[in-house]
């Protein structure tokens, strides 16, 4: 699989993932979280997915030999890509785990909560269409920095205003910023790698994302007693990441080269 084909496949997967996540958030508002109905709905969807795999004809994907990266090779992977995957996990993990709590603390009604959470996912879905063309005109490392600044701007809107409409715009922008990091980081981390090592490199990136997803809610919880709560955590995380990405771009002197 070529790098372009892998990039298109990743974008395709992430679009479907974000669509399903958005529908799931809206489904929570429709079905609710009380009683046995949510469990029935979940089991029904899982059963339907299994039936599709069992009875719908599918074609075995083309397989190729893959080699495992050594620890020395892992250490030589692009550091900005590693940081991007970790920060993606740190932010998305905390958003999934603690954003409903944060919105409740901001006196958001239960009826609006699921819609606002869906806006985060819709922001992530919208950004998947923007990433491929942006990769052609901007470097990947500074692009991650710019998306982090977009997230900082989104958080700043919430800090400045408590209006529900402002909160909705803010969450949409935060969704764009956080969901953009992982695919860009994966693309950067696999750049110029031998095709045999792409699977192994992707596994390393996924592991970094998973570590961030586990650590994110734990670290974010330290901010929850503050005035801005989760928003302060997201602001600190994305601002620090933006600064790192821009410094890394300047140091490598590749920030003006498309695709670097």
């Amino acid at each position: 699989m070529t790098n372009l084909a892998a990039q298109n496949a990743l974008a395709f997967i992430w679009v479907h993932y974000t669509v399903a996540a958005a529908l799931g958030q809206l489904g929570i508002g429709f079905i609710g979280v009380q009683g046995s109905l949510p469990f029935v709905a979940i089991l029904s969807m899982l059963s339907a997915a299994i039936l599709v795999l069992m009875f719908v004809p599918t074609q075995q994907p083309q397989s190729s030999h893959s080699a495992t990266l050594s620890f020395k090779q892992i250490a030589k992977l692009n550091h900005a890509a590693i940081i991007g995957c970790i920060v993606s996990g740190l932010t998305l993990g905390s958003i999934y785990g603690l954003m409903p709590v944060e919105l409740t603390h901001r006196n958001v009604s239960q009826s609006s909560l699921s819609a606002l959470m869906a806006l985060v996912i819709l922001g992530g879905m919208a950004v998947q269409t923007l990433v491929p063309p942006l990769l052609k005109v901007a470097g990947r490392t500074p692009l991650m920095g710019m998306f982090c600044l977009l997230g900082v701007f989104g958080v700043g809107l919430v800090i400045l205003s408590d209006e529900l409409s402002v909160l909705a715009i803010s969450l949409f922008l935060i969704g764009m910023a956080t969901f953009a990091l992982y695919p860009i980081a994966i693309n950067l981390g696999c750049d110029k790698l031998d095709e045999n090592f792409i699977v192994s490199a992707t596994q390393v990136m996924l592991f970094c994302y998973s570590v961030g997803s586990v650590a994110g809610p734990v670290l974010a919880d330290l901010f929850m007693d503050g005035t801005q709560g989760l928003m302060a955590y997201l602001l600190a995380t994305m601002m620090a990441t933006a600064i790192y990405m821009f410094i890394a771009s300047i140091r490598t002197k590749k920030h003006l080269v498309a695709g670097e």
Side-chain angles (χ1 to χ4, degrees):
M1 179 181 289
T2 64
N3 285 341
L4 179 60
Q7 178 182 330
N8 292 335
L10 181 63
F12 181 80
I13 291 171
W14 269 78
V15 166
H16 283 76
Y17 168 77
T18 51
V19 169
L23 292 175
Q25 291 295 334
L26 293 173
I28 291 175
F30 178 74
I31 297 174
V33 295
Q34 303 294 329
S36 59
L37 184 58
F39 297 99
V40 173
I42 292 171
L43 290 175
S44 298
M45 287 185 286
L46 289 175
S47 300
I50 294 173
L51 290 174
V52 169
L53 293 176
M54 290 177 60
F55 297 108
V56 175
T58 57
Q59 184 178 2
Q60 179 71 21
Q62 184 178 359
S63 60
S64 59
H65 173 71
S66 61
T68 303
L69 291 170
S70 65
F71 286 107
K72 185 176 181 180
Q73 289 172 311
I74 292 174
K76 291 182 179 179
L77 290 175
N78 190 287
H79 291 172
I82 297 292
I83 295 296
C85 288
I86 294 175
V87 172
S88 178
L90 287 173
T91 51
L92 286 175
S94 60
I95 286 173
Y96 282 133
L98 295 176
M99 186 60 78
V101 178
E102 173 69 17
L103 295 178
T104 301
H105 287 171
R106 293 177 180 272
N107 299 318
V108 174
S109 64
Q110 189 65 37
S111 59
S112 300
L113 196 149
S114 60
L116 290 175
M117 287 297 298
L119 280 175
V120 177
I121 313 299
L122 289 174
M125 182 172 64
V127 82
Q128 301 307 315
T129 62
L130 298 177
V131 169
L134 287 175
L135 288 174
K136 297 178 182 179
V137 297
R140 282 163 286 194
T141 303
L143 191 58
M144 285 191 284
M146 287 187 285
F147 273 114
C148 285
L149 286 183
L150 178 65
V152 170
F153 176 74
V155 173
L157 292 178
V158 177
I159 295 175
L160 294 175
S161 176
D162 292 330
E163 293 290 333
L164 187 62
S165 58
V166 175
L167 181 58
I169 296 172
S170 170
L171 292 177
F172 186 84
L173 295 177
I174 291 172
M176 292 183 66
T178 52
F179 274 92
L181 293 179
Y182 185 73
I184 298 174
I186 288 285
N187 186 278
L188 177 61
C190 295
D191 184 43
K192 297 178 182 179
L193 280 180
D194 187 277
E195 289 186 6
N196 293 332
F197 292 111
I198 288 180
V199 173
S200 181
T202 303
Q203 290 173 337
V204 173
M205 301 292 176
L206 181 59
F207 175 77
C208 294
Y209 172 84
S210 301
V211 170
S213 297
V214 173
V218 177
L219 296 174
D221 186 61
L222 302 176
F223 291 77
M224 293 304 290
D225 291 332
T227 304
Q228 297 299 329
L230 180 61
M231 295 301 176
Y233 166 78
L234 293 175
L235 177 66
T237 303
M238 288 190 283
M239 178 61 78
T241 305
I243 293 172
Y244 171 84
M245 293 299 174
F246 290 132
I247 292 176
S249 300
I250 295 171
R251 289 184 62 184
T252 55
K253 298 181 181 180
K254 295 180 179 180
H255 59 295
L256 294 179
V257 181
E260 293 292 327

